[in-house]
Amino acid sequence: MTTQPARPAPSAPSAPSEQSMRAADRRGGPGHSVLLAVLLALPAIKVAWTVGGGRAAWEVFVVLQPANWVDIPIGMLLSSPLLAAVLAVVVSRVVIAYFAARGAVPSGRSRAEMVRITGLFLVTPFAFGTLMAVFYGPWWGLGTGLGILALRYGVLAAYRKGHRKVVATETAAALLLIVVVLPVAGLASALNGESWAPVLHCTVDDGEGTDRQRVIEMGRQGNGIYGWSTDSHAVVTGTACALDESRVVREPWWRDV
């Protein structure tokens, strides 16, 4: 009688999947490349569409200087609650998955470890939810907090209990947010024709006289500002400025094409 080869243990096939999950989360989670591309591309698209692209966009970036480029995504987030909410959920998921893959999630059930896991689970949703409520209202805060909780629960359940169904659902939801919802919300904000910064009515001297022009503020100097004039299509300095209640500079892309 021949001896049959021993069968592999039932748990063996799951090991590569777990290793793959951890490797992906160490790189930032599913769709991390898309997330980085979106964050880098959206500010450039915002400026190019708002001021008209080409030389105008280049001139704006030169005048802003790299240290002030962060003003563009901040302005986009402050004017788009959907983009801010989706980005908060995605960033929270990336951060918790990154640290979970490196062993930050406790596996025991002692009181100290349960306190730690509760903190990991609740602190970030509470913080982001509070910020969203302050800037956009309580419903945006509640929705953002619940979205963060849902994805964080999926990550923690995967690393503490190894629930495959939870892992698949959470990964699919994260990919949907990063690959579909975030780019769409970001492009809608970038192409809506609204300025990323306050728009002011200022007295501008163009060398041939002075007149009142609409200026996108890019910085302050002395008693005035410097920025992009939507009337003369150039970088100008302005004084005696008054805030324009509307930030609309041109038609949204979906109406202009």
Side-chain angles (χ1 to χ4, degrees):
M1 180 180 294
T2 58
T3 303
Q4 296 292 332
R7 294 183 178 180
S11 60
S14 65
S17 178
E18 182 177 348
Q19 292 174 1
S20 176
M21 178 181 70
R22 286 182 178 274
D25 286 341
R26 287 191 186 100
R27 295 193 302 268
H32 64 284
S33 298
V34 176
L35 174 61
L36 290 175
V38 166
L39 293 178
L40 291 173
L42 285 179
I45 296 173
K46 178 68 172 180
V47 171
W49 178 255
T50 304
V51 303
R55 180 198 63 82
W58 175 255
E59 190 171 348
V60 168
F61 277 115
V62 170
V63 172
L64 272 175
Q65 300 181 349
N68 296 324
W69 287 0
V70 70
D71 293 343
I72 303 169
I74 290 176
M76 293 175 64
L77 290 174
L78 291 176
S79 63
S80 177
L82 177 60
L83 176 60
V86 174
L87 189 61
V89 174
V90 168
V91 169
S92 172
R93 195 276 173 197
V94 169
V95 171
I96 188 63
Y98 178 85
F99 286 106
R102 284 163 169 74
V105 178
S107 57
R109 295 187 176 276
S110 67
R111 179 174 297 179
E113 288 172 332
M114 293 307 296
V115 170
R116 182 181 170 193
I117 197 70
T118 301
L120 284 171
F121 189 65
L122 295 178
V123 169
T124 299
F126 177 78
F128 275 112
T130 300
L131 286 174
M132 290 294 296
V134 168
F135 284 107
Y136 309 107
W139 290 112
W140 282 107
L142 179 62
T144 303
L146 291 177
I148 293 174
L149 279 175
L151 291 191
R152 290 175 82 84
Y153 172 79
V155 173
L156 295 178
Y159 281 95
R160 278 180 61 84
K161 303 176 182 179
H163 289 173
R164 291 293 171 196
K165 187 174 181 180
V166 174
V167 174
T169 303
E170 189 276 334
T171 301
L175 281 171
L176 178 65
L177 283 174
I178 296 174
V179 178
V180 178
V181 181
L182 181 61
V184 170
L187 285 173
S189 177
L191 301 174
N192 63 7
E194 294 183 8
S195 169
W196 64 92
V199 178
L200 308 173
H201 289 282
C202 299
T203 300
V204 175
D205 186 350
D206 59 5
E208 298 180 357
T210 61
D211 61 347
R212 299 288 287 180
Q213 298 183 16
R214 293 184 82 220
V215 180
I216 299 174
E217 181 181 344
M218 293 193 290
R220 295 179 179 268
Q221 60 177 25
N223 295 325
I225 68 162
Y226 62 91
W228 179 262
S229 171
T230 62
D231 297 310
S232 59
H233 301 288
V235 174
V236 299
T237 57
T239 57
C241 298
L243 182 65
D244 190 334
E245 294 183 359
S246 173
R247 288 195 177 191
V248 176
V249 175
R250 61 178 300 183
E251 287 290 324
W253 172 81
W254 48 89
R255 294 180 188 170
D256 197 80
V257 294

